[in-house]
Amino acid sequence: MRFRVVLCALLLLAGSGAGPSAALPTTPETWTTQWRVFVDDGPALLLERAQRDVLAEMDAEGRRLFLAELLSDPLPETPENELVEGLARRQALVRRQFLSYADDRARLLFLHGAPSAREPVDCGQTFVPLEIWSYPARAGRPSEVVLYRPTPADPYRLWLPLDGKRALYTEDMVYWLQQWEELKAGRRFDLQICPSAKRVDAVTGVDGLRGFREGRPGNNELLAILRPPDRGEWAREAAATPLPELPPPLPTGELKLLFPDRIRQRIVARFQLTLPPDAGLAAVEGAERREVRLNLQGVVEQDGKLFEEFRVRYELEPPDEGEWLALVFERALRPQRDFVVRFRLTDEGSGAEAILDRAFRVPAEAEPVEEPPLPEEVIVAMGEELSLAPLPGRDSLLLAPPSEDVVLGVWRAEALVTGEGIVKVVFLLDGQPQLTRTSRPFSAELRLAQFPREQVVRAEGYDAQGDLVASDEVVLNRPRGAFRVRIESPRAGARVGGTVEALAEVSVPEGRAVREVEFRLNEETIAVLSKPPWQTRVEVPPGGEVAFLTVLATLDDGQTKEEVRYLNSPQFLEEVEVQLVELLTTVTDSSR
């Protein structure tokens, strides 16, 4: 049986290893995978804190009896067990969006289902990342809450009055609001630059930093939305939860866990996940070859709280028939501590996904394993991981793509830098520099458009002398579907003159890419662009003369599509999109 080993190291590059998986403790202090992960993935939210504490101290038999009672049918008058069905449906709803229940948004989805409204607040100069969730009014719980992310390393959490309103603002805005409160001059700064600031005021019951409204919600009132519900009522509602559309499953084999090395005060936890030959991995067209691309998103939890997030990307040649893959990734963790790792592995080509969990305890010392000699047919490659520590190798830079098809608001761009030559990374959005990082991690939060449109994020790595060493870029929100071109600006019927901005949108079929987009005015080429945004300046003749703007897009396979927009057209001139023209012709020779 042939194996291909794909290795990703967080803090070191190590060879592939084989050996028995580390035994998981079965003492009451450390839960085994079966119990720890199961309870953390939702059922614990149905228990009071005192019940969870008692459960954690039980032995294996005590936990089994306790959970059997917890999962017993709360509605015996019906033929099915709504509680078990509800658990499965709510867990599927959460897993479609989140890996960890440490995020309060995941807890709300599990307890109450999808909100009736979910409003991201897209004001990066004013607020930290935050969302407003709304639910139908019901006694005993708030109908609207604010969830915010204090720092990029934290999960979203429920905002409470004890946090203070300043926790929702950026540091700069807190300073400006303090100045405004002293002077009381003009309109409040956050209201001037963020249309959603008034909405945040209303939900929190606080105007600005300290304008406390009468009847504003209190801590206990807001915390009620996270309290354990009535089991029978919850089971009835959860069992009726519509199941989300799930991607096809990605078959996986054994997940091994080893602790082969120590790095200073931490032990290396090595995870090795095998993929069988029938995993159905789909190759995609890369820049130089057809390749399989696998993305791994993961979180590590400690004591039910988010410890760290990580992402790994594998790019490799398609496996041969009968060939297995072994994907290896590592975390450096403190010894004698309990952790849970959760990850989602996605095949970019087919869209298939596998979601796995593993609870484990890190031993006091490393447990080295003998590295077996690798046969010639085994291919060893390194996945790219976004890490804090330098990785060996030549100087290179890779910009990780987003996991979602559509990205709005704040997006964290993360660059993997290998080698020692790159000391500065500049992040650009649509060609304009946004942020510069001179230390690891090389990442930056970028403010994207409020509405989905094609944008290019670029990362450039420079050495100590200021010379460009390496760069990479990703295209966000690329429209997919039937090949078409649409002129967004100037709008139809616009009367313009002088310099105007011309903007086009190009929809691209799956598997194809745009080679170039040409802008013409009255058949004269104005600009030829090779990457988005498809935008350029056009000089329209003054005096209101009729002109026509043509945008011609060409794909990498030679297909072309164009759209024409008349500018300064007469009042009753209409534009009609023609799909087919029937042309009648007569052909004669010289004798007729």
Side-chain angles (χ1 to χ4, degrees):
M1 178 171 59
R2 297 182 61 198
F3 262 85
R4 178 180 301 183
V5 179
V6 181
L7 174 62
C8 172
L10 168 64
L11 300 176
L12 73 162
L13 177 61
S16 63
S21 300
L24 292 173
T26 57
T27 61
E29 291 77 17
T30 304
W31 288 39
T32 59
T33 301
Q34 177 186 1
W35 297 112
R36 177 71 172 272
V37 174
F38 172 74
V39 173
D40 285 352
D41 276 7
L45 297 175
L46 304 179
L47 301 173
E48 298 287 352
R49 169 63 66 180
Q51 292 175 298
R52 294 201 293 268
D53 292 342
V54 170
L55 180 60
E57 295 300 323
M58 290 181 176
D59 59 17
E61 179 62 16
R63 291 198 297 269
R64 187 186 67 80
L65 295 174
F66 185 99
L67 291 177
E69 174 62 25
L70 172 66
L71 299 179
S72 62
D73 192 353
L75 303 171
E77 64 274 14
T78 60
E80 57 278 335
N81 187 332
E82 286 85 356
L83 182 64
V84 173
E85 177 67 18
L87 280 172
R89 287 177 175 266
R90 287 288 171 85
Q91 286 174 332
L93 182 65
V94 172
R95 278 299 181 88
R96 193 68 190 97
Q97 301 183 46
F98 305 104
L99 279 176
S100 173
Y101 283 77
D103 191 312
D104 279 348
R105 297 175 300 173
R107 296 177 182 177
L108 288 185
L109 278 181
F110 180 84
L111 290 171
H112 306 292
S116 54
R118 180 176 176 179
E119 309 168 50
V121 175
D122 185 24
C123 298
Q125 291 180 302
T126 305
F127 295 108
V128 299
L130 60 87
E131 299 178 4
I132 298 174
W133 284 37
S134 303
Y135 283 98
R138 176 176 295 181
R141 79 175 187 197
S143 58
E144 293 183 324
V145 293
V146 173
L147 297 119
Y148 72 107
R149 191 169 196 174
T151 72
D154 293 319
Y156 278 75
R157 72 186 191 198
L158 177 69
W159 178 83
L160 299 172
L162 62 85
D163 298 328
K165 183 74 174 299
R166 67 184 299 152
L168 303 181
Y169 288 108
T170 63
E171 291 184 8
D172 289 342
M173 184 53 63
V174 168
Y175 171 78
W176 287 110
L177 287 178
Q178 288 172 335
Q179 302 304 306
W180 180 87
E181 288 185 347
E182 291 182 10
L183 302 174
K184 296 292 184 182
R187 192 174 177 223
R188 226 175 65 208
F189 296 123
D190 57 335
L191 296 175
Q192 294 182 41
I193 64 175
C194 179
S196 301
K198 185 178 293 186
R199 179 89 171 102
V200 177
D201 286 350
V203 178
T204 59
V206 183
D207 296 329
L209 289 177
R210 288 181 284 270
F212 305 112
R213 297 184 181 183
E214 186 177 352
R216 65 186 181 277
N219 295 317
N220 290 334
E221 183 180 348
L222 292 174
L223 281 171
I225 201 167
L226 291 177
R227 291 199 181 106
D230 175 79
R231 210 160 55 98
E233 181 182 355
W234 183 88
R236 183 180 290 107
E237 292 184 357
T241 301
L243 283 174
E245 183 178 351
L246 300 175
L250 178 63
T252 61
E254 182 182 6
L255 175 63
K256 289 186 177 182
L257 175 57
L258 304 167
F259 302 97
D261 201 357
R262 172 187 283 271
I263 300 179
R264 294 183 291 276
Q265 301 302 314
R266 300 196 176 198
I267 301 295
V268 174
R270 178 185 297 171
F271 300 85
Q272 179 176 299
L273 175 66
T274 57
L275 300 182
D278 61 354
L281 301 177
V284 298
E285 290 293 341
E288 301 178 354
R289 61 174 185 177
R290 286 183 62 79
E291 59 190 19
V292 169
R293 296 176 183 170
L294 297 169
N295 286 323
L296 186 145
Q297 285 183 285
V299 298
V300 178
E301 296 176 1
Q302 184 180 21
D303 298 328
K305 298 179 181 179
L306 186 65
F307 179 78
E308 67 172 352
E309 297 180 84
F310 61 94
R311 291 202 297 181
V312 183
R313 183 174 183 174
Y314 304 93
E315 296 180 352
L316 57 150
E317 293 182 357
D320 296 333
E321 184 178 354
E323 189 175 52
W324 288 65
L325 293 181
L327 307 180
V328 182
F329 62 97
E330 298 181 346
R331 314 311 300 163
L333 304 171
R334 295 194 179 278
Q336 297 183 292
R337 305 287 176 87
D338 300 328
F339 295 95
V340 175
V341 64
R342 307 174 188 273
F343 59 90
R344 175 186 286 113
L345 181 67
T346 305
D347 175 22
E348 285 189 14
S350 66
E353 287 186 356
I355 299 179
L356 295 98
D357 309 279
R358 183 70 176 264
F360 60 97
R361 183 175 181 84
V362 179
E365 297 295 337
E367 301 168 354
V369 294
E370 182 180 354
E371 302 291 345
L374 297 177
E376 292 182 0
E377 64 267 21
V378 174
I379 301 175
V380 180
M382 178 180 175
E384 291 110 354
E385 177 164 0
L386 315 173
S387 64
L388 292 172
L391 291 176
R394 64 181 179 84
D395 295 328
S396 66
L397 182 150
L398 175 75
L399 189 59
S403 57
E404 302 85 4
D405 293 331
V406 178
V407 186
L408 300 176
V410 178
W411 179 61
R412 174 164 288 276
E414 298 177 279
L416 171 75
V417 172
T418 59
E420 300 179 355
I422 296 176
V423 298
K424 181 179 73 172
V425 175
V426 178
F427 293 88
L428 303 94
L429 180 63
D430 293 337
Q432 300 299 315
Q434 301 293 310
L435 290 168
T436 299
R437 291 287 182 261
T438 57
S439 62
R440 298 175 185 271
F442 293 113
S443 63
E445 285 195 342
L446 304 180
R447 308 299 305 182
L448 305 179
Q450 291 186 345
F451 303 99
R453 67 178 179 86
E454 200 168 0
Q455 294 186 277
V456 177
V457 176
R458 180 178 175 83
E460 298 179 344
Y462 294 86
D463 60 18
Q465 288 72 44
D467 295 328
L468 180 64
V469 176
S471 64
D472 191 20
E473 65 183 28
V474 296
V475 180
L476 306 179
N477 304 328
R478 172 170 285 164
R480 293 293 185 184
F483 183 28
R484 65 180 179 85
V485 178
R486 184 172 64 190
I487 298 176
E488 299 285 350
S489 178
R491 59 181 177 81
R495 305 195 65 80
V496 296
T499 302
V500 298
E501 290 287 341
L503 174 65
E505 179 186 275
V506 181
S507 293
V508 182
E510 198 67 39
R512 300 264 64 89
V514 177
R515 186 169 68 199
E516 65 179 30
V517 172
E518 180 180 1
F519 287 77
R520 303 175 187 160
L521 185 68
N522 295 337
E523 293 302 329
E524 179 183 350
T525 298
I526 303 300
V528 178
L529 307 178
S530 59
K531 62 182 179 180
W534 312 118
Q535 183 175 3
T536 189
R537 292 186 175 184
V538 177
E539 290 291 335
V540 179
E545 294 183 17
V546 178
F548 59 94
L549 173 69
T550 303
V551 178
L552 174 68
T554 304
L555 297 184
D556 52 3
D557 62 355
Q559 294 185 64
T560 61
K561 189 76 73 172
E562 71 175 25
E563 183 173 75
V564 179
R565 171 67 43 82
Y566 285 91
L567 309 178
N568 303 324
S569 58
Q571 181 178 359
F572 301 107
L573 178 65
E574 293 185 356
E575 296 181 29
V576 179
E577 182 178 355
V578 178
Q579 302 292 339
L580 175 67
V581 175
E582 184 177 355
L583 181 64
L584 301 179
T585 61
T586 300
V587 179
T588 61
D589 60 22
S590 58
S591 64
R592 297 292 299 272

